[in-house]
C-alpha cells in the first residue's frame, strides 16, 4: 500500500552557514491533520523563495525507501524529514513518477508532480551538521538519481501521516522525475 509515512513543516531559522543567514531545511514532524493549500502545508514557510516554494514547489516528497538506502550509505539511521521533505512516503514510486502525474492523498487532496529537487550547498552543509558524510554531496546525490519530487497542489484539503496515496492520472509521456533529473545533471553548464 502506498502511504504518507510522515508530514513535516519548517520555519526560517537564523544560521551562519547559509549566505542568506536563514534556512527552513530543518523540519518538525506534524501529528494529526494539516491543511494544504496552493503554497503548501500550514506551518511550513520557505526561506529561499528564489529556489524553493511557490505553486510548482508547494510540497517536496521523498521516499522512505530512499532514506533507508542513504542510511546504508551513511552507516547511520536517517529519520523522516532529514532531507527537508514535507512528505515522507512509503510504497510510492516518487522518482518513477511522470512529470504531470497526479496523486490523491487521503480523501480530498490532489497533487501533481512538477519537477525534481537539485542538491544545493544548504542541503550539503545541513547533512554534515547532522553527522552524515556530505563530501562531494551534489555529485553523489546526482549519481544516485533519486532526487524526490516537487508537487503542485491541485485540490487543497487536509492530509496526515497514514493517508493512502493513489495515482489518479499518469500522462504517458515517459518523462519521469529521475529521467529528467538525469538529463539536467548530465548537461554541461555555463
Amino acid at each position: 500500500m502506498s502511504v504518507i509515512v510522515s508530514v513535516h513543516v519548517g520555519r526560517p531559522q537564523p544560521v551562519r552557514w547559509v549566505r542568506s543567514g536563514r534556512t527552513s531545511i530543518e523540519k518538525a514532524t506534524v501529528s494529526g491533520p494539516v491543511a494544504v493549500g496552493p503554497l503548501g502545508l500550514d506551518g511550513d514557510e520557505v526561506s529561499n523563495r528564489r529556489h524553493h516554494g511557490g505553486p510548482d514547489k508547494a510540497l517536496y516528497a521523498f521516499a522512505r525507501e530512499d532514506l533507508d538506502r542513504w542510511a546504508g550509505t551513511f552507516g547511520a539511521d536517517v529519520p523522516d524529514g532529514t532531507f527537508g521533505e514535507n512528505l515522507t512516503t512509503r510504497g510510492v514510486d516518487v522518482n518513477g513518477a511522470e512529470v504531470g502525474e497526479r496523486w490523491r492523498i487521503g480523501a480530498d487532496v490532489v497533487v501533481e508532480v512538477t519537477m525534481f529537487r537539485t542538491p544545493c550547498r544548504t542541503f550539503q552543509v545541513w547533512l554534515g551538521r547532522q553527522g552524515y558524510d556530505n563530501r562531494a554531496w551534489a555529485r553523489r546525490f546526482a549519481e544516485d538519481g533519486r532526487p524526490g519530487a516537487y508537487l503542485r497542489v491541485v485540490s487543497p484539503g487536509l492530509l496526515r501521516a497514514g493517508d493512502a496515496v493513489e495515482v489518479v492520472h499518469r500522462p504517458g509521456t515517459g518523462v519521469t522525475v529521475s529521467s529528467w533529473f538525469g538529463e539536467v545533471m548530465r548537461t554541461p553548464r555555463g
Side-chain angles (χ1 to χ4, degrees):
M1 180 171 159
S2 300
V3 300
I4 300 298
V5 175
S6 54
V7 179
H8 314 277
V9 298
R11 291 261 194 225
Q13 300 294 318
V15 295
R16 293 182 182 189
W17 46 270
V18 174
R19 282 188 200 125
S20 68
R22 62 190 216 146
T23 180
S24 301
I25 196 166
E26 183 174 3
K27 304 289 188 199
T29 302
V30 177
S31 61
V34 60
V36 60
L39 296 178
L41 299 170
D42 277 359
D44 191 58
E45 187 179 334
V46 174
S47 292
N48 181 341
R49 294 183 194 279
R50 180 174 178 218
H51 298 289
H52 303 285
D56 289 339
K57 296 180 181 179
L59 299 168
Y60 175 50
F62 203 80
R64 180 65 247 175
E65 294 88 345
D66 292 331
L67 291 173
D68 292 341
R69 285 176 50 261
W70 280 109
T73 299
F74 293 145
D77 288 339
V78 180
D80 295 350
T82 298
F83 278 28
E85 73 270 17
N86 300 110
L87 306 175
T88 306
T89 66
R90 183 179 312 283
V92 178
D93 190 358
V94 173
N95 298 291
E98 288 186 355
V99 175
E101 183 171 301
R102 289 188 176 188
W103 305 341
R104 179 178 315 284
I105 301 173
D108 51 13
V109 174
V110 176
V111 297
E112 182 176 279
V113 175
T114 57
M115 61 186 57
F116 53 83
R117 178 206 194 143
T118 55
C120 64
R121 185 179 187 297
T122 300
F123 190 12
Q124 177 180 355
V125 174
W126 167 251
L127 289 176
R129 295 181 68 83
Q130 301 311 300
Y132 301 114
D133 176 6
N134 66 350
R135 290 173 291 173
W137 178 246
R139 179 186 53 77
R140 290 166 59 205
F141 190 76
E143 286 173 355
D144 187 60
R146 302 186 64 75
Y150 278 117
L151 308 169
R152 170 187 304 124
V153 177
V154 175
S155 296
L158 296 174
L159 59 75
R160 70 195 70 184
D163 277 351
V165 179
E166 174 190 7
V167 176
V168 294
H169 171 72
R170 191 161 170 96
T173 63
V175 178
T176 66
V177 170
S178 283
S179 68
W180 188 20
F181 177 69
E183 285 300 314
V184 169
M185 296 309 283
R186 283 190 295 273
T187 302
R189 296 181 186 172

